[in-house]
Amino acid sequence: MTWRDAAVPLAIFALLAIAPFAGFGQGHSLTLLARAMIFGMAAISLSLIVGGAGLVSLGHAAMLGVGAYTVVVLDHARITEGWMVVPIAIAASAAFAAVTGAIAIRTSGVHFIMITLAFGQMAFFATSSLALYGGDDGYTLYSRTELFGTRALEGRLFFHFTCLALLILCWALVQALLASRFGRVLRAARENETRARAVGFEPYRYRLVAYAIAGAIGGLAGVLLANGTEFVAPAYVTWQRSGDLLFMVILGGAAGPHGALMGALAFILVEEWLAHVTEHWRLIFGPLLILCVYYMRGGIAGLLRRG
Amino acid sequence: MLLELRHLRKAFGGLVGTDDVSLDLRQGEIHALIGPNGAGKTTLIHQISGTLAPDSGQVVFAGEDVTRLSLARRARRGLARSFQITSIVPGFSALENVALAVQARSGSSFRFFRPAGNEATLNGQAMEALAEVGLERRAAVPASVLSHGEKRQLELAIALAMRPRLLLLDEPLAGTGAEEAERLMRILGGLRARYGILLIEHDMPAVFALADRISVLAQGRVIASGTREEIRANPIVRDAYLGEDEAA
Ligand SMILES: Nc1ncnc2c1ncn2[C@@H]1O[C@H](COP(=O)(O)OP(=O)(O)OP(=O)(O)O)[C@@H](O)[C@H]1O
Ligand SMILES: [Mg+2]
């Protein structure tokens, strides 16, 4: 990692840290920033699969969905203690990723996209049919996840900094993974799979572990998402949501986690701003995304590197 | 015997790849495989290395039947190969390309936190392999910007870094300049003592200078196999493949 690569994310983290004290402290702003950070985490985890392993997944929202619905299931059972909820949610989403990944990673390219999409749709229909948890209508949490029995997460500032801390943690984790022995094998197999095999690596195992780790981080993002809105619905698991995540990664430039981070923040903020300007914002947002992909090879990260 | 091939057959639809090829190779020997374009030489290397599965026949490596093992498993057993079309990781530096090969035989690669680029043992051994092919001064250069000849050297360094027992080299001299070819030949000659080498090469002077034994492949079949002198004297080979001047 060069200093230039680290400078931008560090600046972003610093801005996010001072934002509540610099005019973005009201409820609406904080909600928006939390949403941006949570999707930043999700996009970072997806970038491990897309940028790290070279596998384009169109089912990543399901990972967030498993995390969010774990909160729901436990909430319904009146289990809200964070030291239970968070590990269980992470384990559940990692397990979901490992099982679906074990099948999906046997394929590549378009087939991989289709299989991940199919698993995502299965997750969507599964959540829609959970009558106990509100089915299509969704489920409103009794309470946010507790920390050592306290309701600290209900404090807006506390929640803001929890999201920020976890975002930084995930970014650092993915950054370290990519630079490690493990990441080196992933990257080599992405660029030249035959070469990786010819020196003795079976890429499948490494990709599967990467997929499970991405699922785990996605699940953690799902826990935060559920807590941020205190409400969970199948809409969290739609393929459009997966597409949004993929767009964030591509928009940022799939080179590494900092690209995904920038992509997610830009996506959420532009979306919000456009929605303010006109109710037909989707008509503008769609073509805008296409133009971005078309003209910005290497995404936002690439743009900064050149600039 | 380091390598024994028994009746290897491979067809692509109706097209013959290899047709009942049986060969063997001893430790410390350079066995050259020659033959016209499309004879099946690369197809044979694919089957030995595990890139392609044969339709029938066996590959026995160091006494073990490896016919059903994957490319990666055979690599870990000590089978290293180069590719006719250079195969490197373009986004890695020359050093990291070689370090990847060192890493493959140096403990688990399921290590997640320590930066691999800082591992002195990996880098040190990778540097040795680069030095062996004369590429140490280009270690930090991205592999994608190396010259064609340097890429061939790099691929050889990757193979050496695997510390293999057998090297399968598919036209290592192809497309290199005269100077680079000479250097590569010197290196190959020097490697003979430590490895078995199966060498595919179109450069006849190089083949006759390096090889202990030569087999000639045509339309997927071994039409002759023997020492340099035997192959030079073989009338079928002279007609089928060698130009008169080359055989002279
Ligand atoms: N994947 C494939 N699919 C179909 N046919 C193939 C395939 N690979 C090789 N062939 C055919 O098999 C035959 C042997 O090819 P091979 O590449 O082994 O020849 P070669 O001896 O290495 O030739 P060259 O000296 O040109 O490299 C050729 O007729 C080739 O067209
Ligand atoms: Mg060939």
Side-chain angles (χ1 to χ4, degrees):
Chain A
M1 181 175 52
T2 66
W3 262 114
R4 214 148 173 201
D5 286 339
V8 174
L10 291 180
I12 291 174
F13 297 142
L15 286 175
L16 286 168
I18 59 169
F21 315 107
F24 295 93
Q26 334 80 299
H28 178 76
S29 301
L30 284 180
T31 304
L32 178 66
L33 287 178
R35 190 175 143 81
M37 288 190 281
I38 292 166
F39 280 105
M41 276 173 68
I44 285 172
S45 67
L46 180 58
S47 80
L48 183 61
I49 305 172
V50 178
L55 297 166
V56 176
S57 164
L58 203 44
H60 203 60
M63 311 301 170
L64 279 77
V66 173
Y69 269 90
T70 303
V71 177
V72 167
V73 171
L74 294 175
D75 182 81
H76 193 261
R78 294 295 190 275
I79 298 171
T80 51
E81 175 52 53
W83 295 114
M84 299 279 287
V85 173
V86 173
I88 293 174
I90 288 177
S93 47
F96 176 80
V99 171
T100 57
I103 297 163
I105 293 168
R106 293 190 188 283
T107 66
S108 60
V110 177
H111 295 277
F112 183 81
I113 298 179
M114 296 312 290
I115 290 185
T116 52
L117 177 62
F119 280 125
Q121 287 302 85
M122 277 170 54
F124 173 72
F125 289 119
T127 55
S128 305
S129 62
L130 290 172
L132 188 58
Y133 307 116
D136 279 328
D137 298 330
Y139 179 97
T140 302
L141 298 180
Y142 286 103
S143 74
R144 286 197 180 188
T145 300
E146 297 177 346
L147 296 178
F148 299 114
T150 73
R151 308 197 136 204
L153 276 187
E154 290 182 7
R156 287 185 177 283
L157 268 185
F158 190 89
F159 188 69
H160 179 85
F161 282 101
T162 303
C163 289
L164 180 57
L166 291 174
L167 175 68
I168 294 171
L169 191 70
C170 292
W171 171 77
L173 175 72
V174 170
Q175 195 78 51
L177 283 180
L178 287 175
S180 71
R181 280 187 172 210
F182 172 78
R184 175 185 269 170
V185 178
L186 269 188
R187 290 181 287 121
R190 180 195 70 213
E191 283 199 42
N192 186 344
E193 176 158 354
T194 307
R195 179 32 78 198
R197 291 180 188 281
V199 297
F201 294 110
E202 308 276 7
Y204 178 82
R205 299 177 195 176
Y206 297 86
R207 289 175 178 157
L208 184 54
V209 171
Y211 200 72
I213 293 172
I217 300 175
L220 180 61
V223 172
L224 291 176
L225 198 59
N227 272 286
T229 50
E230 296 179 26
F231 173 75
V232 178
Y236 286 24
V237 198
T238 57
W239 69 268
Q240 287 93 332
R241 178 56 65 73
S242 293
D244 287 349
L245 289 171
L246 192 54
F247 240 118
M248 294 171 191
V249 173
I250 295 168
L251 184 66
H258 60 287
L261 173 64
M262 289 186 277
L265 299 184
F267 187 102
I268 297 290
L269 298 179
V270 170
E271 180 188 58
E272 169 75 12
W273 175 68
L274 276 179
H276 261 290
V277 175
T278 162
E279 60 183 300
H280 304 297
W281 62 276
R282 282 190 183 276
L283 279 179
I284 302 173
F285 197 45
L288 196 65
L289 291 176
I290 293 170
L291 287 177
C292 284
V293 171
Y294 195 80
Y295 284 109
M296 304 193 325
R297 300 282 154 83
I300 301 174
L303 217 60
L304 286 175
R305 212 169 299 132
R306 256 172 281 142
Chain B
M1 212 49 82
L2 187 58
L3 179 72
E4 292 169 68
L5 307 181
R6 296 183 190 145
H7 311 293
L8 284 177
R9 280 178 208 275
K10 179 77 191 175
F12 302 101
L15 225 64
V16 179
T18 59
D19 185 7
D20 196 20
V21 171
S22 296
L23 281 179
D24 54 48
L25 194 151
R26 279 182 283 273
Q27 174 70 41
E29 163 182 73
I30 297 184
H31 191 145
L33 195 60
I34 62 175
N37 293 115
K41 305 181 295 294
T42 297
T43 305
L44 188 65
I45 288 227
H46 282 333
Q47 293 171 79
I48 302 171
S49 63
T51 315
L52 274 179
D55 297 336
S56 65
Q58 278 179 314
V59 178
V60 180
F61 178 58
E64 182 192 11
D65 184 347
V66 298
T67 317
R68 302 265 159 266
L69 297 187
S70 68
L71 172 61
R73 275 181 182 279
R74 290 186 213 192
R76 296 202 294 272
R77 294 273 201 289
L79 256 165
R81 68 165 295 179
S82 74
F83 292 81
Q84 184 166 358
I85 297 163
T86 312
S87 179
I88 52 176
V89 183
F92 283 15
S93 68
L95 184 71
E96 193 170 15
N97 265 279
V98 185
L100 178 74
V102 179
Q103 184 183 316
R105 59 164 173 77
S106 311
S108 172
S109 280
F110 286 99
R111 295 191 195 163
F112 300 98
F113 299 110
R114 188 161 158 213
N118 294 353
E119 286 197 45
T121 44
L122 298 187
N123 291 342
Q125 292 177 40
M127 217 46 200
E128 278 171 33
L130 280 177
E132 199 158 0
V133 302
L135 214 53
E136 69 272 28
R137 286 166 59 195
R138 305 285 276 163
V141 174
S144 57
V145 306
L146 294 175
S147 75
H148 179 79
E150 287 174 331
K151 284 181 185 160
R152 308 258 29 162
Q153 283 166 268
L154 176 59
E155 216 185 354
L156 186 58
I158 293 171
L160 295 180
M162 293 165 68
R163 301 234 174 108
R165 305 171 68 182
L166 176 61
L167 283 169
L168 306 167
L169 303 176
D170 198 347
E171 303 194 20
L173 306 184
T176 59
E179 211 171 297
E180 286 164 331
E182 219 167 279
R183 146 171 245 141
L184 278 167
M185 274 184 62
R186 258 204 318 279
I187 297 167
L188 292 180
L191 295 176
R192 181 199 316 262
R194 282 180 286 156
Y195 309 92
I197 299 178
L198 184 66
L199 174 69
I200 296 182
E201 196 41 70
H202 280 298
D203 181 340
M204 284 309 126
V207 166
F208 281 97
L210 284 171
D212 301 295
R213 282 195 297 158
I214 299 171
S215 292
V216 186
L217 213 58
Q219 283 158 20
R221 301 188 73 94
V222 179
I223 57 169
S225 189
T227 63
R228 286 180 263 199
E229 292 68 33
E230 285 166 350
I231 295 300
R232 243 192 215 112
N234 187 319
I236 306 171
V237 178
R238 293 168 77 125
D239 287 351
Y241 187 53
L242 296 177
E244 281 301 319
D245 47 327
E246 275 174 317

